[in-house]
């Protein structure tokens, strides 16, 4: 038993060395079972205090030393005695377990990507077994280390790791139903399907950008809440990305920001396997990634043998942790499909099952005598310690937080909102309200009033713009810039990197339920970030997209800058709220909706131009999506219904006024969010758009595509089914027929 | 006169030195007017042959030596005597003309971006006056050098240059109507509005990627058509990009490819002015761009004084031209708004008019005594030579081409198709046709049959995939890969860089009218490249987007990979054709439409799964967008109309068969392209979708958004208004109700 205790001790010290910053809470083995004996050395020089702090734990909870005092010398010692202390045989057995769980699951599904898990199993093992701090029985534990598989197609790696680590979300039957209907192990990692998955990946490059967001969130919270006597926020973000991620522009955007912000606790593993779907990366990817990342301000380490160089990987992580002012890229050269004698190092192992014959050959080659999906007992036992250890880690942190709360009430209260996702009582009272007497203003300016009011009551509100803060009107006036040396601030400067911005905000949103990230650019440039916005919608990340300059109303910048099809394109997207407020109250209503919907992102389209505060608009109206703002009819039977959104609601209202003077019974409906209207009861819908009234005219300075649903076959949609033009806004409105006169003419024609 | 002749001689030699590769056709002054005398030296060492070859031209046409013999020694001499030979005073006057035309136009419009033109005027002047080869009276001259302003907001720079260079598209009145309705000088450069503008820029990063496409096109054509005795294709691509472009991921994608491909004739000027809209780039952009570009395989030069270091700029261009195996980035450090005493070097000069007071101050500061929009006579005269010179350049090339045509008939014929945009007679006969007896196949495979047939008859067809060639089925089997050393080939390997791919294809398409670039990825990843696709549509670049895996039919990869809203989102976009063929004939029809529409890009959505060849489908039907494939009704009065697209047309057809057995009169309509159907006559539309028949059922494995337009208020749209799922395709279809049974039930309910 002495041997195995020593083994565990050495592993613990290694882990401590690797984890670095917080030696007091590193993993120490709780198991006393027999294990493969390692051939190690080097523990003799340990001080007695080190030994006594770790050996012979007697129970789960007491086994972990939680005091933070006097352990720095221990850590130093541990670092010096890092090498050759690992039970290589067991490690390899664990790594091969990961490989074969992946192989077997893909084989059973006859679909999936075995190549990456086989190549990345070593770094995966070291991360989940030796380095990361998590609680498998509570995937929401706030201070856990985060892991992102940016190369999401290799998800069997992560499922295998979650399975071994003891997450209940991935049981053996889940591995066996990989990629099947209703399973918890879909074809790419989905945070909303599999507890323990942090973000949804698969679309390449998103994950590394999410990871930047997660690391930003940590750095921000640590700076904001940690105290000299209590490091209450302290975790790492690990990510594995592949060649595909590296080629995507979004990863360069995010990496440039990570370097700029000095995200020292972001550690990215670049699975450098030289193979992508079309073959050797030589055909399309010959840049020097190392040099690029150095240029981006990262610390770069190269692990030349990622297949079996376990100590190299460990040493790289250790080194990465010593670099606290820069993110680290660990380029790990691996062999895709490692272990497969005939398919490794080729694209054929990337995205297809190996096939029975090659699975057999791989079993032989790696000397793996087990049945499919079998986890050897010693491996199982070895990993079993993570359950009690994880519980202890969380308990330790909870105790620490209780202490913190006693001393720092206010901060603890703020942090709890961020951790829990609850809203401070009465937060919505901060929303500004308006009357028609308030001066006309651009909704982008009204948006800024909302942001600046809300930031005072919502501890998790944080965000910024892609180099258009002064145009998008997104600056939080009571805060400075989140920067490398001022990470406690809440204005994020994303630079002209829309795609990275969206994905970073997804990472922030999914870091903790109480984060409410917002980001901004011109509405037309949602085209640059659409893939990230879609992931917000799919992964239930409640990002608020503040999108200004929402129509031809922006004027002279012309068609490259004027959205036309964008409203329709987001109305067509599942699980996202497309809001287009018309004035002050509707802007406030849009923010209320956006804040409340934490699992459904919102896009708020805002005007560059001034708009009057209209009579009849309201926050409550916005919450229903579509509602009547004025009506001179009775019995729910107007002669005509005029429907507008955003800047064109004013036109509809003006047309109604004229028509009423001519004796018409006219209802004006604001259709600020189609999705919210869809969610209403049939009775409510009938009260706004009675089926019997087919004389309906809509006006919106955008494509008419989709409006048939609202105006019906007999109605008329006024819009713009061409690209815009460069000229003063008023001129374009007139030339394109987005006018009161056009509404009146259409209304008369129909009623 | 001797002095000014010598001046021009020296400038010519300088230009020759700069232009480098083709000394025989470099610019030589044609003017003999008096000019500011320069203080120069260094011509004395010229050989007599040099002098005789250049001095005292007597007429426009004879002034340019077109023989290519014995001039290399001249070039060498010229290079050695590069420095201090320029009439700095006139150059500065020209540069200030560019600055003030920009200032005045922005001021008059009270809208626009003066900062970049003021800072980049020196490089702009040197490019258009000294370096570039073009014919201002024929902006379509094939062998012209291309210039792209990737930082498109600075378009007044380009308008001023086109104006000075003698393009009829930018006359004084055009400058005076900058950013006004109907003007030829819109707020960002638009190739379809202003002759002489190569591509449409403004959305940042697009232009540098377009430039990579243009340079690719040149390298490809040069390798394919040049002969040892005739360099018929030989031009450069110049681009100016700013900090904003550099931050965008797309620029990194494109630059990585440019480095990989070794595009030696691509020369990019990075306007390094340290200012973006939100202020100093220090707040968000602190990476080392130099190092990144070196990592990307570029040659990097730094011009430290871009404001007045004219010779530095010239020397950099000269150096760039000597590096023939790498693209060159010339980082030019400039002052944004150079010359404005109070606003230069600040974000306030980026995107707003200077204001009358500051315009005055700038006039004083730069000693500019002229009225707004005035071009001093000597500047005008100096630039006037470009008109005859440009004509001579083109005439020279035409003569060269005539020679080439005599010797290389076949090649000349091919090249002419690419230059002219005409199609070889009978090309469409290459389109494959199918009958229901042909075996079921995935439309992605049928697409490959089309591509491989068409490439034999369309000299301009070239393209590839974003690392999914074997999934998108886009390989041209009779060609190899376009690579650094095999640029004559026609399979382009874009790597996982969808956004760059789209923009590169825009560049190829706009290089010459006969180029038909295609590019491919999974349909869902159009989200990554949407900004480039929109520019295709706006700028009339007839790119063919081959988008496979077009629905839940892709199965196990799950919701991250399954498009839902994408069809609707492109149907809503102006000037693009969204095509979703159902089988072999419709795939061929889609390609016919896509090839013919050279100014309207096409997206062809293709299935991963096998589909039967249906009875009644046709190429001609596709050309109409929507058409009847089967009908057992008479008198244009079916009981019900079933409408399907792509993989669901099969389901509609099967449902019809069952319904007919029960005695129903059923029409089945294929709705392969909504846009093409919209273009048909009302009579035709009525013949397919008679207004009187309101019993209409549509089925499409995608959002129902927009289908109300086709099925009407009384019809039913069967689709998917949620995200997809990871499971075998058949299972998802069944679970989501995309089934024959659902169509039959809906049809019965309605009819």
């Amino acid at each position: 038993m002495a041997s195995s205790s020593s083994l565990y001790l050495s592993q613990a010290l290694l882990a401590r060395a690797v984890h670095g910053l917080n030696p007091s809470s590193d993993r120490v083995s709780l198991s006393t079972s027999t294990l493969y004996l390692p051939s190690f050395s080097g523990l003799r020089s340990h001080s007695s205090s080190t030994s006594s702090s770790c050996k012979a734990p007697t129970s789960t909870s007491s086994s972990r030393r939680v005091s933070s005092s006097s352990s720095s010398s221990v850590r130093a010692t541990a670092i010096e005695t890092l090498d050759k202390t690992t039970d290589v045989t067991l490690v390899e057995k664990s790594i091969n377990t990961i490989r074969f769980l992946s192989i077997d699951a893909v084989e059973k599904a006859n679909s999936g990507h075995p190549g990456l898990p086989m190549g990345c199993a070593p770094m995966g093992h070291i991360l989940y077994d030796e380095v990361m701090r998590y609680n498998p029985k509570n995937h929401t534990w706030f201070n856990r280390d985060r892991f992102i598989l940016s190369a999401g197609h290799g998800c069997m790696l992560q499922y295998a790791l979650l399975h071994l680590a003891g997450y209940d979300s991935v049981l053996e039957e889940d591995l066996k139903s990989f990629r099947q209907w209703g399973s918890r192990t879909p074809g790419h990692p989905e945070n909303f399907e599999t507890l323990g998955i942090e973000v949804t990946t698969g679309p390449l490059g998103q994950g590394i950008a999410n990871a930047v967001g997660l690391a930003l969130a940590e750095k921000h919270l640590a700076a904001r809440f940690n105290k000299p006597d209590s490091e209450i926020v302290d975790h790492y973000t690990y990510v594995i990305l592949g060649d595909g991620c590296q080629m995507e522009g979004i990863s360069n955007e995010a990496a440039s920001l990570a370097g700029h912000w000095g995200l020292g606790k972001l550690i990215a593993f670049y699975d450098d396997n030289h193979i992508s779907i079309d073959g050797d990366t030589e055909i399309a990817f010959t840049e020097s990634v190392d040099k690029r990342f150095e240029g981006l301000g990262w610390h770069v380490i190269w692990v030349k043998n990622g297949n079996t160089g376990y100590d190299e990987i460990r040493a790289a992580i250790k080194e990465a942790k010593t670099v606290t002012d820069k993110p680290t890229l660990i380029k790990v050269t691996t062999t895709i499909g490692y272990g497969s004698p005939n398919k490794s190092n080729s694209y054929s192992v990337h995205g297809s099952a190996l096939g029975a014959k090659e699975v057999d050959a791989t079993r032989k080659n790696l000397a793996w005598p087990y049945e499919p999906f079998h986890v050897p007992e010693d491996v199982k036992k070895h990993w079993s310690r993570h359950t009690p250890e994880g519980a202890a880690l969380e308990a330790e942190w909870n105790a620490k937080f209780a202490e913190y709360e006693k001393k720092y009430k206010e901060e603890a209260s703020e942090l709890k909102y961020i951790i829990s996702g609850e809203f401070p009582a009465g937060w919505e009272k901060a929303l500004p309200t308006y009357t028609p007497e308030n001066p006309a203003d651009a909704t982008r300016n009204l948006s800024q009033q909302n942001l600046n009011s809300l930031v005072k009551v919502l501890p998790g509100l944080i965000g910024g713009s892609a180099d258009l803060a002064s145009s998008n009107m997104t600056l939080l006036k009571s805060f400075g810039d989140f920067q490398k040396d001022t990470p406690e601030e809440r204005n994020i400067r994303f630079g002209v990197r829309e795609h990275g911005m969206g994905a970073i905000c997804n990472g922030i949103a999914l870091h903790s339920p109480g984060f409410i990230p917002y980001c901004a650019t011109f509405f037309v440039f949602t085209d640059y970030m659409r893939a990230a916005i879609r992931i917000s919608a799919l992964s239930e990340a409640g990002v608020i997209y503040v999108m200004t300059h929402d129509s031809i109303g922006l004027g002279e910048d012309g068609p490259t800058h004027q959205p036309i099809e964008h409203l329709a394109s987001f109305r067509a997207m599942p699980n996202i709220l497309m809001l287009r407020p018309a004035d002050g109250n509707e802007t406030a209503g849009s923010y209320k909706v956006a804040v409340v919907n934490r699992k459904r992102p919102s896009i708020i389209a805002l005007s560059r131009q001034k708009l009057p505060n209209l009579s009849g608009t309201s926050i409550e109206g916005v919450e229903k999506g579509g509602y009547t703002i004025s009506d001179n009819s009775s019995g729910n039977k107007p002669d005509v219904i005029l429907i507008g959104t955003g800047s064109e609601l004013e036109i509809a209202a003006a047309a109604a006024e004229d028509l009423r003077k001519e004796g018409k019974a006219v209802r004006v409906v604001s259709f600020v969010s189609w999705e919210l209207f869809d969610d209403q009861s049939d009775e409510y819908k009938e009260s706004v758009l009675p089926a019997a009234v087919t004389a309906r005219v809509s006006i919106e300075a955008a494509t008419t595509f989709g409006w048939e649903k609202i105006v019906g076959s007999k109605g008329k949609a006024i819009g713009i089914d061409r690209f815009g033009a460069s000229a003063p806004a008023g001129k374009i409105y007139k030339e394109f027929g987005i006018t009161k006169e056009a509404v009146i003419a259409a209304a008369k024609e129909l009623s």
Side-chain angles (χ1 to χ4, degrees), chain A:
Chain A
M1 287 294 76
S3 297
S4 86
S5 284
S6 296
L7 160 68
Y8 275 118
L9 176 57
S10 67
Q11 284 193 321
L13 289 167
L14 178 63
R16 170 172 306 170
V18 167
H19 197 265
L21 286 188
N22 197 357
S24 66
S25 53
D26 286 306
R27 284 211 182 87
V28 179
S29 166
L30 305 172
S31 160
T32 52
S33 64
T34 308
L35 283 166
Y36 288 91
L37 298 184
S39 59
F40 65 89
S41 66
L43 279 181
R44 290 188 187 91
S45 63
H46 285 168
S47 71
S48 59
S49 76
T50 310
S51 300
S52 66
S53 72
C54 296
K55 75 178 173 190
T58 52
S59 81
T60 299
S61 57
S62 68
S63 69
R64 189 174 311 275
R65 291 186 66 242
V66 295
S67 81
S68 61
S69 60
S70 77
S71 52
S72 59
S73 64
V74 175
R75 180 157 62 96
T77 311
I79 287 171
E80 282 156 21
T81 58
L82 178 78
D83 299 320
K84 296 180 189 166
T85 55
T86 319
D87 175 0
V88 172
T89 317
L90 183 62
V91 165
E92 286 200 330
K93 205 166 178 183
S94 169
I95 288 169
N96 280 335
T97 304
I98 296 163
R99 289 195 178 112
F100 281 96
L101 288 178
S102 305
I103 291 169
D104 296 339
V106 172
E107 201 63 23
K108 184 159 191 302
N110 193 24
S111 171
H113 301 75
L116 183 140
M118 294 166 76
C120 291
M123 59 183 115
H125 166 87
I126 290 169
L127 277 173
Y128 268 82
D129 190 53
E130 301 177 7
V131 175
M132 280 172 57
R133 295 147 47 87
Y134 55 87
N135 180 2
K137 300 306 177 194
N138 178 12
H139 72 282
T140 69
W141 173 43
F142 166 73
N143 202 37
R144 70 192 180 278
D145 287 336
R146 268 69 170 177
F147 173 78
I148 309 298
L149 185 64
S150 190
H153 52 273
C155 55
M156 266 313 306
L157 172 73
Q158 206 172 354
Y159 298 147
L161 290 166
L162 293 175
H163 177 64
L164 291 176
Y167 285 79
D168 298 327
S169 50
V170 188
L171 306 177
E172 187 177 327
E173 61 254 36
D174 298 303
L175 296 174
K176 287 179 173 168
S177 59
F178 178 52
R179 292 187 154 226
Q180 303 309 302
W181 179 261
S183 87
R184 296 188 292 189
T185 45
H188 289 84
E190 296 168 1
N191 59 309
F192 52 96
E193 291 286 0
T194 318
L195 307 185
I197 301 285
E198 302 286 353
V199 299
T200 294
T201 56
L204 294 172
Q206 299 292 330
I208 173 69
N210 297 158
V212 172
L214 288 161
L216 177 155
E218 196 273 349
K219 182 164 175 143
H220 170 71
L221 293 179
R224 194 164 147 194
F225 294 105
N226 285 353
K227 302 289 175 185
D229 65 347
S230 184
E231 212 172 2
I232 199 73
V233 183
D234 169 32
H235 53 269
Y236 282 85
T237 303
Y238 300 96
V239 57
I240 295 180
L241 69 164
D243 291 305
C245 291
Q246 289 287 19
M247 288 188 252
E248 291 284 8
I250 183 178
S251 67
N252 193 72
E253 292 180 8
S256 179
L257 282 170
H260 172 74
W261 290 327
L263 300 179
K265 288 164 99 171
L266 172 62
I267 300 179
F269 295 79
Y270 161 36
D271 176 28
D272 170 49
N273 66 27
H274 288 284
I275 297 292
S276 66
I277 294 177
D278 277 351
D280 196 292
T281 53
E282 280 297 312
I283 68 172
F285 186 49
T286 51
E287 66 176 58
S288 165
V289 172
D290 314 41
K291 205 161 185 176
R292 176 159 63 88
F293 270 77
E294 280 165 15
L296 297 176
W298 285 54
H299 182 65
V300 180
I301 305 170
W302 184 16
V303 170
K304 292 183 186 171
N305 174 11
N307 295 326
T308 59
Y310 315 129
D311 283 342
E312 276 186 71
I313 296 172
R314 293 179 179 116
I317 298 171
K318 188 180 88 168
E319 180 180 326
K321 291 195 172 186
T322 64
V323 180
T324 58
D325 62 340
K326 287 179 177 187
T328 294
L329 183 79
I330 306 176
K331 180 170 95 165
V332 189
T333 299
T334 69
T335 303
I336 191 170
Y338 179 87
S340 161
N342 303 304
K343 293 194 166 180
S344 68
N345 198 30
S346 94
Y347 66 92
S348 65
V349 79
H350 165 84
S352 312
L354 291 178
K357 209 175 134 190
E358 187 65 13
V359 171
D360 278 352
T362 307
R363 278 191 147 71
K364 279 198 193 90
N365 188 43
L366 293 178
W368 196 251
Y370 306 105
E371 288 299 294
F373 297 102
H374 182 76
V375 179
E377 275 311 308
D378 46 358
V379 172
K380 210 177 270 180
K381 210 167 267 172
H382 175 74
W383 280 83
S384 68
R385 76 192 191 286
H386 290 288
T387 293
E389 281 191 25
L393 280 168
E394 182 170 355
E396 174 195 343
W397 185 85
N398 287 341
K400 195 170 174 180
F401 188 78
E403 280 295 307
Y404 180 90
E405 202 169 10
K406 274 186 218 154
K407 284 198 200 162
Y408 309 107
K409 249 190 201 144
E410 207 173 308
E411 290 91 332
S413 159
E414 274 210 4
L415 182 55
K416 272 162 83 174
Y417 285 122
I418 291 172
I419 294 174
S420 69
E422 279 170 30
F423 298 115
W427 70 273
E428 68 278 4
K429 286 180 198 138
L431 292 166
T433 54
Y434 303 84
T435 71
E437 284 66 48
N438 287 109
D441 206 346
T443 48
R444 60 173 170 153
N445 291 333
L446 300 162
S447 163
Q448 187 167 39
Q449 292 172 12
N450 277 273
L451 285 169
N452 278 281
S453 298
L454 289 172
V455 78
K456 290 176 190 149
V457 293
L458 296 174
L461 191 70
I462 181 170
S465 161
D467 194 44
L468 287 169
S470 52
S471 292
N472 302 140
M473 306 307 292
T474 45
L475 271 190
L476 304 171
K477 293 170 184 172
S478 47
F479 291 93
D481 287 353
F482 172 91
Q483 293 287 3
K484 188 172 185 174
D485 297 323
T486 53
E488 69 281 9
E489 300 290 354
R490 285 158 79 176
N491 285 300
I492 306 177
R493 304 291 197 163
F494 290 101
V496 193
R497 303 181 185 93
E498 298 84 5
H499 200 179
M501 173 171 75
I504 288 169
C505 284
N506 285 337
I508 298 172
L510 295 174
H511 181 280
S512 293
F515 265 122
I516 308 177
Y518 68 91
C519 63
T521 182
F522 291 159
F523 189 31
V524 77
F525 298 138
T526 50
D527 284 349
Y528 274 71
M529 57 195 307
R530 197 171 167 92
I533 295 175
R534 191 177 204 256
I535 296 279
S536 303
L538 176 61
S539 68
E540 302 174 353
V543 176
I544 304 178
Y545 292 93
V546 180
M547 295 293 146
T548 72
H549 296 59
D550 73 342
S551 77
I552 52 165
L554 64 86
E556 291 89 343
D557 273 346
T560 53
H561 284 54
Q562 291 162 352
I564 296 290
E565 69 279 19
H566 300 74
L567 288 166
S569 80
F570 288 112
R571 287 173 184 153
M573 187 182 276
N575 198 45
I576 196 161
L577 294 167
M578 179 68 247
L579 297 139
R580 189 163 187 251
D583 65 1
N585 288 332
E586 289 204 351
T587 304
S590 297
Y591 272 97
K592 184 172 180 199
V593 165
V595 167
V596 167
N597 279 276
R598 293 291 79 232
K599 295 197 161 194
R600 201 175 179 188
S602 298
I603 303 178
I604 309 181
L606 299 158
S607 76
R608 175 187 187 228
Q609 71 272 32
K610 282 188 181 179
L611 303 175
N613 282 292
L614 297 170
S615 181
T617 59
S618 69
I619 290 176
E620 299 71 33
V622 172
E623 293 178 297
K624 294 198 156 70
Y627 67 108
T628 301
I629 65 160
S630 73
D631 194 355
N632 66 329
S633 73
S634 58
N636 202 22
K637 279 192 180 173
D639 298 329
V640 63
I641 303 175
L642 308 183
I643 307 164
T645 79
S647 44
E648 287 71 64
L649 186 60
E650 170 193 4
I651 298 175
E657 219 162 288
D658 283 17
L659 287 164
R660 285 168 191 152
K661 281 179 195 155
E662 297 182 29
K664 292 269 188 193
V666 184
R667 174 177 298 174
V668 179
V669 170
S670 172
F671 232 69
V672 58
S673 166
W674 294 27
E675 299 86 356
L676 290 174
F677 187 74
D678 272 347
D679 292 347
Q680 305 306 311
S681 68
D682 288 345
E683 290 70 23
Y684 178 77
K685 289 182 198 170
E686 174 68 16
S687 78
V688 178
L689 296 179
V693 182
T694 59
R696 304 177 184 180
V697 179
S698 71
I699 182 160
E700 186 172 69
T703 181
T704 59
F705 189 87
W707 272 101
E708 289 84 0
K709 177 179 175 180
I710 313 298
V711 298
S713 306
K714 293 180 183 164
K716 174 155 173 96
I718 297 172
I720 307 167
D721 292 313
R722 52 157 287 181
F723 285 113
S726 171
K731 179 71 177 168
I732 314 176
Y733 266 85
K734 209 179 145 191
E735 293 286 343
F736 283 9
I738 310 298
T739 60
K740 183 178 77 170
E741 292 69 29
V743 176
I744 292 171
K748 287 184 177 173
E749 200 187 312
L750 297 178
S751 65

